[in-house]
Amino acid sequence: MTLTDMTIVKSPLPEEAIPHEKPAIEGSPPPNGGALAWLNVLGSFMLYFNTWGILNTFGAYQTYYESGALFHSTSSNISWVGSIAAFMLLFVGIFVGPIYDRGYLRALLIVGSFMVVFGHMMLSLCSEFWQVVLAQGFVIGIGTGCLFVPCVAIIPQYFTTKMGAAMGAAASGSALGGVIYPIVLYRLINQVGFPWAVRVIGFIALASLLIPISIMRLRVQPPKVRAMVDPSAFKDPAYLAFVFTSLIAYMGLFVIMFYLSFFAEATRLTDSSLAFYMVPIFNAASVFGRTIPNKLADHFGPLNLLVPAALSSGLLMFCMMAVQSKAAIIVMALLSGFMSGALIGLPPMCLAILTEDKSKLGTRVGMGYAIIALGVLASGPSSGAILRNGDASLDWHSLWVFGGVPTCVSGLGYAAIRIFKYGPKLNIKA
């Protein structure tokens, strides 16, 4: 069944609880444009801004926590905070997907927005490691998880022929968040202190999340209530292979996302100020990595672009072993940011094309990212353990090998999926 085959199904919520939310009539195709469609892209942009955008900021938090100004802990323990937040963002989708499919978009937006803002306010009061884990790892992580599936699954309801461009535009919000939030954190810590710096971030999140709450609407309602797990997904070899390959990719990718800034400071390649700015530089480059490949995917296919993106990301992490100057690390931040943007922005589009029944897209995205989350959970703490915190000769080479190998392997895995699904010919859009 496709979106165009759906019939109207009355929402289980009272009509007044979902103002202006009117599913399309039977047989109505996605508009592929128009004010309402692009308003939903704007809403999705703001959700990306406050999900992946917040997660992409953790490299700056990692560097600050390593300084011991707030609490004292090992690199491995500190990484648990970011890994738990990332895990929750992805894992909660297994519950959020079916809720989204039932039509509770507005409830998810409200609950998720509240938890993101509340988590930042609680983080501003933290002074011990376990408190930071609860506030930043669990509360903010679960909040972003409630918002992530809607920002991915809403766009295929409005776009088919222009889906790559729309998803790329929306996904660029995560990169913009990853630029703005670490700069706000760094600039305000020295002026007003860590508590108020985090509160300001919370207020920015509140203001920007009011936009999707106000404008995002479901275009179609699923014809029936969906199960939390779609059993047919386990009989789809291409879908399963893609999910497990993405798990391996994210295990490697998050190494550089978490440790680029700390690497610059710990190896004294830059001063502490420029080390903090490595995060926004990395994320600024990923703006183009999330938009340009997604736009090109409309013409060449997302899998065709995901293969070189994964291989390039892994090779760049190997190249980090040769970085010995300020200029070199800035160049690596730009290149790695661009490729990581493609590696994060293209998989949702791939999941959409691998899901033939679009009414199950929310559930399948949730299931897929819940499994991928296990790779993210393992990445940060394992990386911190490799660094042997406290040793003057930190084993950065081993860290970059740990990040580069699985990312390159994932590139080969994506290539195998592409050949299995579409054949070996390079001129096929896949």
Side-chain angles (χ1 to χ4, degrees):
M1 181 180 293
T2 63
L3 286 175
T4 57
D5 297 323
M6 293 182 183
T7 56
I8 301 175
V9 175
K10 185 174 178 60
S11 169
L13 291 177
E15 186 173 345
E16 61 272 15
I18 316 178
H20 312 299
E21 204 162 293
K22 297 180 180 180
I25 60 172
E26 180 179 5
S28 174
N32 287 309
L36 182 59
W38 288 110
L39 280 174
N40 277 273
V41 173
L42 174 62
S44 182
F45 176 93
M46 290 302 175
L47 293 182
Y48 270 106
F49 183 87
N50 289 292
T51 53
W52 281 104
I54 289 174
L55 181 61
N56 289 345
T57 305
F58 185 74
Y61 284 100
Q62 175 93 25
T63 303
Y64 176 74
Y65 295 153
E66 294 274 3
S67 70
L70 189 65
F71 57 81
H72 294 279
S73 190
T74 65
S75 295
S76 181
N77 285 343
I78 291 171
S79 293
W80 274 109
V81 178
S83 293
I84 290 173
F87 174 80
M88 288 297 171
L89 183 152
L90 300 173
F91 181 77
V92 168
I94 198 170
F95 306 101
V96 173
I99 295 173
Y100 170 87
D101 284 345
R102 287 173 170 84
Y104 292 99
L105 171 63
R106 180 172 295 274
L108 289 171
L109 295 179
I110 293 173
V111 171
S113 299
F114 171 79
M115 295 191 72
V116 167
V117 176
F118 178 73
H120 279 94
M121 298 308 166
M122 293 299 99
L123 178 61
S124 71
L125 303 176
C126 295
S127 59
E128 298 183 31
F129 172 71
W130 67 269
Q131 296 172 339
V132 173
V133 171
L134 289 177
Q136 190 171 14
F138 285 96
V139 178
I140 295 177
I142 294 172
T144 57
C146 291
L147 302 175
F148 178 54
V149 170
C151 72
V152 174
I154 194 71
I155 291 179
Q157 291 199 3
Y158 289 89
F159 293 91
T160 52
T161 59
K162 300 180 181 179
M163 187 169 66
M167 279 192 165
S172 65
S174 59
L176 183 62
V179 172
I180 292 177
Y181 283 140
I183 292 177
V184 170
L185 179 69
Y186 173 70
R187 298 293 295 178
L188 293 183
I189 280 178
N190 294 329
Q191 296 181 22
V192 297
F194 179 78
W196 270 107
V198 174
R199 288 176 196 135
V200 169
I201 290 176
F203 286 127
I204 294 174
L206 174 61
S208 54
L209 284 170
L210 290 176
I211 295 174
I213 291 175
S214 302
I215 65 178
M216 290 185 73
R217 299 291 181 267
L218 288 172
R219 194 184 73 87
V220 291
Q221 295 284 124
K224 62 180 180 180
V225 175
R226 300 294 172 184
M228 183 175 294
V229 176
D230 175 21
S232 66
F234 298 104
K235 300 177 182 179
D236 187 341
Y239 171 83
L240 288 178
F242 183 85
V243 168
F244 283 106
T245 301
S246 298
L247 182 155
I248 296 171
Y250 280 37
M251 184 185 300
L253 178 63
F254 275 74
V255 172
I256 195 165
M257 290 177 65
F258 281 8
Y259 282 98
L260 177 63
S261 176
F262 183 46
F263 169 73
E265 184 177 56
T267 56
R268 299 183 180 179
L269 291 174
T270 68
D271 55 26
S272 59
S273 176
L274 185 55
F276 264 95
Y277 279 99
M278 284 295 106
V279 177
I281 289 172
F282 180 92
N283 289 317
S286 73
V287 171
F288 302 98
R290 293 167 199 252
T291 53
I292 296 175
N294 276 66
K295 176 63 175 177
L296 294 175
D298 286 330
H299 302 283
F300 300 103
L303 270 173
N304 287 337
L305 298 176
L306 189 57
V307 172
L311 290 172
S312 299
S313 293
L315 292 175
L316 285 170
M317 270 186 269
F318 286 126
C319 292
M320 287 293 294
M321 293 187 287
V323 171
Q324 296 180 351
S325 67
K326 183 186 299 184
I329 194 170
I330 292 174
V331 170
M332 293 302 297
L334 290 169
L335 294 175
S336 298
F338 180 87
M339 290 303 171
S340 73
L343 195 51
I344 290 175
L346 289 171
M349 189 176 180
C350 294
L351 285 173
I353 65 171
L354 290 174
T355 302
E356 295 183 4
D357 184 352
K358 294 299 185 289
S359 68
K360 297 179 179 180
L361 183 59
T363 300
R364 286 226 177 173
V365 169
M367 288 174 56
Y369 276 103
I371 298 172
I372 294 169
L374 297 174
V376 177
L377 188 65
S379 179
S382 300
S383 302
I386 289 172
L387 289 180
R388 301 196 306 270
N389 191 54
D391 191 329
S393 57
L394 298 177
D395 197 353
W396 291 103
H397 285 197
S398 297
L399 179 72
W400 301 129
V401 170
F402 176 74
V405 169
T407 312
C408 286
V409 168
S410 72
L412 299 177
Y414 288 134
I417 295 168
R418 192 264 185 218
I419 293 172
F420 170 79
K421 188 74 174 177
Y422 300 99
K425 293 183 178 180
L426 297 178
N427 61 346
I428 297 177
K429 180 180 176 180

